[in-house]
Amino acid sequence: GAGVSQSPRYKVAKRGQDVALRCDPISGHVSLFWYQQALGQGPEFLTYFQNEAQLDKSGLPSDRFFAERPEGSVSTLKIQRTQQEDSAVYLCASSLRGSKAGELFFGEGSRLTVL
Amino acid sequence: EDKVVQSPLSLVVHEGDTVTLNCSYEVTNFRSLLWYKQEKKAPTFLFMLTSSGIEKKSGRLSSILDKKELFSILNITATQTGDSAIYLCAVLPMDSNYQLIWGAGTKLIIKP
């Protein structure tokens, strides 16, 4: 596709449910990032992939969060046993160059609401 | 601790006005500063600044960086209702190739 595609756009989960959020980056983009954005805040870094390698997962808030990018393209962010504090917009971004975050292309995000 | 602070947090102006948004930073080993526009949900890239005093311009938007005073401004002239958005500033430190430090954004509302 022409841009970064994320699905679902909206997800409502009951506390304790597992959710999976998908990101389809721009074809050929080496780098892929996941961010969490709370209302009225800037994006908070979660994790970074270069191709299929997860080079940094230091931003994942707990071991309930897991991300993968097995073939170096589509990525999935999984949140297990969701909690209310997980409610946020999850943004995925990709960039062409492997080692430069300069111009990130963001998806529309997945808004997660945990009840 | 590295941080990026944007001001004002929100701003309401009338169409045709000129606005100036501020981004100050305290970041060890600065590499570059980026501005993004966030309408609805997806931030879109506006500018990347690495050198002091060199203005970047795109239509009615322009931005400049002051590495001595550690801030950047984003100017929008002759504002239009389509400029209404959250404007995000982020800084990339030298010791990271990818981990941007984001400000909280300035919410700009343009009234017709």
Side-chain angles (χ1 to χ4, degrees):
Chain A
V4 178
S5 177
Q6 290 188 247
S7 62
R9 294 285 304 276
Y10 302 92
K11 176 70 179 177
V12 178
K14 289 184 180 177
R15 192 171 56 180
Q17 279 185 327
D18 297 349
V19 299
L21 308 177
R22 176 189 167 105
C23 173
D24 204 336
I26 294 172
S27 178
H29 276 199
V30 170
S31 298
L32 185 145
F33 304 81
W34 282 99
Y35 290 91
Q36 181 189 60
Q37 188 174 27
L39 194 64
Q41 300 295 319
E44 292 280 342
F45 171 82
L46 293 177
T47 187
Y48 162 60
F49 289 87
Q50 187 169 321
N51 295 307
E52 69 279 2
Q54 189 175 21
L55 298 187
D56 189 341
K57 54 181 181 179
S58 63
L60 296 176
S62 77
D63 59 7
R64 296 185 296 104
F65 287 71
F66 171 76
E68 60 182 4
R69 193 186 185 197
E71 296 177 2
S73 56
V74 171
S75 177
T76 304
L77 176 67
K78 296 178 180 177
I79 309 173
Q80 297 177 322
R81 304 181 303 282
T82 51
Q83 303 293 316
Q84 284 187 318
E85 61 262 29
D86 300 335
S87 296
V89 175
Y90 291 86
L91 293 168
C92 175
S94 68
S95 68
L96 179 61
R97 287 176 284 267
S99 61
K100 187 174 179 180
E103 185 172 352
L104 296 177
F105 295 84
F106 282 85
E108 292 280 310
S110 293
R111 180 180 292 278
L112 173 65
T113 303
V114 181
L115 303 177
Chain B
E1 183 185 342
D2 293 341
K3 62 180 179 180
V4 174
V5 178
Q6 293 186 245
S7 63
L9 289 181
S10 64
L11 184 59
V12 181
V13 301
H14 286 99
E15 219 171 6
D17 288 351
T18 293
V19 296
T20 298
L21 309 183
N22 301 286
C23 175
S24 64
Y25 60 90
E26 294 176 23
V27 175
T28 308
N29 294 326
F30 172 92
R31 182 201 295 259
S32 59
L33 183 145
L34 300 97
W35 284 97
Y36 282 81
K37 177 182 182 182
Q38 187 172 25
E39 296 171 276
K40 295 181 184 178
K41 276 189 256 177
T44 53
F45 174 80
L46 295 175
F47 299 112
M48 181 165 71
L49 303 148
T50 54
S51 301
S52 262
I54 298 174
E55 185 182 54
K56 292 274 181 100
K57 200 167 169 64
S58 176
R60 296 176 293 102
L61 276 67
S62 63
S63 184
I64 198 160
L65 174 67
D66 186 327
K67 289 167 74 172
K68 183 179 177 186
E69 300 297 330
L70 308 183
F71 76 92
S72 172
I73 59 171
L74 175 69
N75 274 325
I76 309 175
T77 59
T79 51
Q80 303 170 358
T81 54
D83 295 328
S84 295
I86 296 171
Y87 290 83
L88 292 165
C89 172
V91 171
L92 183 65
M94 195 67 76
D95 60 358
S96 173
N97 285 327
Y98 55 87
Q99 203 170 127
L100 292 164
I101 302 165
W102 293 85
T106 292
K107 184 173 184 178
L108 177 63
I109 297 173
I110 311 295
K111 288 188 170 180

